[in-house]
Amino acid sequence: MRVVITRPAGDAQAWVEALQAAGHEALALPLIEVGPVTDIQPVMQAWAQWPEFQAVMFVSAQAVRYFFDCQPVRSTWTRGPRCWATGPGTHKALLQAGVPEALIDSPAADAAQFDSEALWQRVSVQVQAGSKPVLIVRGQDGDTHPNASLNGTGRDWLAQQLQAAGASAQFVVAYERRTATWSSLQKAQAVQAANDASLWCFSSSQAIENLASILPTQSWAQARGMATHPRIAQTAQALGFGEIHMSKPSLPDLLVSLESLA
C-alpha cells in the first residue's frame, strides 16, 4: 500500500522516511505551503505583553515555531503565562522552543481526540474570570477556496468557551498558509494515487480544500483517506473520497492504524 503524506514540505519528508523505514511505500505531496507573516509587529507586540496573558494557546506546531522565531530574548520562565497545546506535535514543539514541561498543558496522551475540545477539558479549571486574557496564536490563510470549510473552528470554539467562563481571548497571526504549487510530475503522481487505492493522510481540512483546487476535475471515488479528526473526515467525504479511516495525529499512531488496514 502506498501512503501519501500531505503535510507541509518542512514536515513531510521525516514522515516519509519513517514510513519507509517501517516497510511502507510513501510519497510526499505537500498541500500547504507555510511561511512567516509579512508584518511581524503584532507578534512582537504579543511578546511585549507576554506577562499580561494568563495563558497562550498554540493551534499547531507551526504556530509555535513562527511565534518563537520572533522571541526577542530567551525567557527564563520565572514569570508569564502557561502554554496550551492541542496535541503531541504542538507539545513537542513547545519543549523544543524551551518551554518547561511543567508549564505546558495538553490533552492526555491517551485522549480519544487531540483538539480544542479535549484541551478545554484539561485547562478549563485554570481559567480566571475577569482576569488576564488568553492569547491564541494561529495561522492565516493566504488564499481561499469557494468550497472552503470553517477552518479555525476549534480555536473559535475555544474563544467562545473562554467568553462563557468570563475570560477573554486575543488572537495573533504568526504564520501564513497557502496552497502548495505542484509540478506536472506531482500532479501526475496525485492522479495515480487517486485511482490506485493509495491511502491519503490528512491532518487539516485546508489540505483537502487545496487538493480540490489543484485537481478540480479529479474523481476521488476510488481514493482512500486517513483523517486525524472527524471534521477533517467530513471534508474528505464532501470531496468524494470513497473510503475514510481515522487515526490520531502522531506518527506512531499512524503506523498502528496502517497495521490495522494491512
Side-chain angles (χ1 to χ4, degrees), residues 12-262:
Q13 192 56 39
W15 284 64
V16 167
E17 292 173 359
L19 287 166
Q20 290 174 338
H24 300 282
E25 182 182 357
L27 172 67
L29 287 175
L31 285 166
I32 298 175
E33 292 179 351
V34 180
V37 291
T38 303
D39 181 11
I40 66 169
Q41 185 55 41
V43 177
M44 298 305 297
Q45 181 61 33
W47 274 114
Q49 296 175 264
W50 186 255
E52 301 174 18
F53 301 112
Q54 62 172 297
V56 180
M57 183 269 203
F58 295 87
V59 303
S60 67
Q62 300 287 1
V64 175
R65 292 166 190 156
Y66 284 100
F67 186 78
F68 276 86
D69 278 350
C70 296
Q71 186 177 8
V73 179
R74 179 62 63 178
S75 176
T76 59
W77 300 103
T78 56
R79 64 192 183 109
R82 300 190 63 81
C83 293
W84 296 352
T86 54
T90 307
H91 191 124
K92 180 179 179 180
L94 285 167
L95 291 174
Q96 293 173 335
V99 182
E101 175 74 48
L103 294 181
I104 302 174
D105 298 300
S106 62
D110 60 352
Q113 196 61 254
F114 297 119
D115 54 17
S116 294
E117 289 89 338
L119 173 63
W120 182 248
Q121 292 178 11
R122 177 61 63 93
V123 302
S124 59
V125 295
Q126 300 176 10
V127 176
Q128 302 175 31
S131 183
K132 299 177 180 179
V134 173
L135 179 68
I136 299 177
V137 183
R138 64 180 181 88
Q140 176 173 278
D141 296 341
D143 45 27
T144 57
H145 312 303
N147 61 336
S149 65
L150 293 177
N151 289 313
T153 298
R155 66 173 183 255
D156 295 337
W157 179 89
L158 186 68
Q160 293 170 1
Q161 305 314 302
L162 288 167
Q163 184 177 15
S168 63
Q170 295 182 12
F171 292 86
V172 65
V173 174
Y175 65 102
E176 186 173 281
R177 302 177 297 259
R178 289 188 176 276
T179 303
T181 301
W182 277 3
S183 66
S184 297
L185 174 59
Q186 288 174 308
K187 290 182 179 180
Q189 290 172 325
V191 170
Q192 180 182 352
N195 297 318
D196 67 3
S198 293
L199 185 70
W200 292 72
C201 296
F202 298 113
S203 56
S204 77
S205 290
Q206 186 188 9
I208 301 170
E209 292 155 6
N210 291 352
L211 182 61
S213 70
I214 294 172
L215 298 175
T217 63
Q218 177 64 44
S219 170
W220 300 97
Q222 302 302 315
R224 299 191 297 166
M226 180 76 79
T228 59
H229 194 278
R231 285 192 289 263
I232 300 172
Q234 291 172 3
T235 306
Q237 290 170 340
L239 181 58
F241 270 71
E243 185 178 320
I244 302 293
H245 302 275
M246 298 296 299
S247 172
K248 289 185 178 181
S250 72
L251 180 56
D253 287 317
L254 174 60
L255 292 172
V256 172
S257 298
L258 291 176
E259 289 299 322
S260 69
L261 296 179

